[in-house]
Amino acid sequence: MKRVPGWLAVVAFGALLLLPGLGRLGALDSTDARYLAIGREMWATGDWLVPRLAGVPHLDKPPLTYWAASLGYTLFGPTEFGGRFVEQLALLATALVVYRAARRFADPRWALPAALIVRTSGLTFALSRGLATDLFQLLFVRASLVAILDAATRRSFAHAAAAGALLGVAMLAKGPIALLVAASVWLAFAIAVRERASLPWRGVALGAALFAAIGVPWYALIMQG
């Protein structure tokens, strides 16, 4: 019998764990309720720039989570399942990032267990039951850090540029904290490896430009408005 690919096992297990019962519960807490409502209002009005709650601008967080909820409402209607669906895809993608990183940088035998540990972590599963910004930031910051590691070990222009772009998306999930988290991890890594790995600086420059092009415009538009 042909063996099931590890990445497919991650997806199948994640879907079975995450999707059943996703829409059976109402709002779990005030954050979940607010974010679902803001996403629903964005979906209903077609205003994807300014998040609003009961018609009043709600700018506590950037819009990526609300965009995700709006997309889910477009696919499945304005239900709790629709509002939380794309968040589950983000969590599945995070497990696949870990799976790929373990195969690339560690013993491939640990790739599937590592991905399943991410998927079955009590905190991440609890967060996934309600709509929040954290799991979107988790995906894009983690993917950015893996891309930075790829860029350093392979001297890869493309991976360095991708790392900046991913951080730009993370800025739209939870704000500038994404840059601080990634920079602190990268600094520790750079000090540890010193001459053994280094980044292609042209890729870093392009990554910085992509970061600014993706992560900054929404903030600039909101400040101008």
Side-chain angles (χ1 to χ4, degrees), residues 213-225:
I214 296 170
V216 173
W218 180 82
Y219 294 91
L221 288 170
I222 290 297
M223 289 177 68
Q224 288 177 3

Side-chain angles (χ1 to χ4, degrees), residues 133-204:
T133 59
D134 303 83
L135 297 184
F136 293 101
Q137 178 172 258
L138 178 67
L139 167 61
F140 291 106
V141 169
R142 183 166 290 181
S144 177
L145 290 172
V146 172
I148 289 173
L149 184 56
D150 259 320
T153 54
R154 294 181 176 183
R155 296 286 297 166
S156 170
F157 174 93
H159 283 94
L166 288 162
L167 276 181
V169 180
M171 277 274 288
L172 296 173
K174 204 167 181 177
I177 187 65
L179 183 59
L180 177 62
V181 171
S184 62
V185 173
W186 172 246
L187 180 60
F189 172 77
I191 292 172
V193 300
R194 294 193 178 100
E195 284 92 18
R196 285 179 290 161
S198 59
L199 288 170
W201 291 107
R202 286 186 297 172
V204 172

